[in-house]
């Protein structure tokens, strides 16, 4: 599970060393170094290397948007494969918790591992045009 990092803690007119950025955001130094490998711009002309606040904020915002959009309605995250996967045979089960929300479950089309995700009733209605949705009784 990836920890959510809120870009609101970044001051855009400041410059941060790796340590300062890690402290400001409550993440480890390794995490900040990882961001650099993922494309966070870093000023390397001086030591210590500096991260510009505005760049850091833009990077984190881009990143969180990307991770939110990774799954389309008909995709699931497979715990075994890791990536977004299709539903096996285009079939999913919907088990409602309330009249508005419930859980979609299916098997991974790649490895047949179990996949589940939360969905609203409106999403399920939209999904039923794409996949074969079986409505299950809530427990
Ligand atoms: Zn899988």
């Amino acid at each position: 599970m990836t920890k959510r990092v809120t870009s609101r803690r970044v001051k855009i007119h400041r410059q941060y060393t790796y340590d300062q950025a890690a402290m400001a955001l409550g993440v480890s130094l390794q995490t900040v170094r990882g961001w650099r490998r993922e494309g966070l711009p870093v000023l390397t002309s001086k030591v210590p290397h500096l991260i510009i606040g505005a760049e850091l904020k833009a990077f984190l915002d881009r990143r969180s948007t990307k991770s939110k959009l990774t799954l389309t309605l008909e995709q699931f995250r497979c715990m075994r494969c890791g990536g977004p996967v299709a539903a096996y045979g285009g079939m999913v089960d919907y088990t409602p918790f309330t009249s508005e929300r419930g859980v979609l479950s299916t098997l991974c089309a790649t490895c047949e591992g179990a996949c589940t995700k939360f969905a609203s009733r409106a999403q399920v209605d939209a999904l039923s045009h794409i996949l074969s949705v079986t409505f299950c009784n809530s427990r």
Side-chain angles (χ1 to χ4, degrees), residues 77-83 85 107-115:
R77 181 163 323 278
C78 176
M79 298 309 269
R80 218 185 285 169
C81 304
V85 296
L107 297 178
C108 167
T110 308
C111 75
E112 298 183 34
C115 307

Side-chain angles (χ1 to χ4, degrees), residues 2-3 11 28 48-49 95 127 131:
T2 315
K3 208 157 96 181
K11 295 190 172 58
S28 69
H49 295 172
T95 308
L127 190 61
L131 300 176

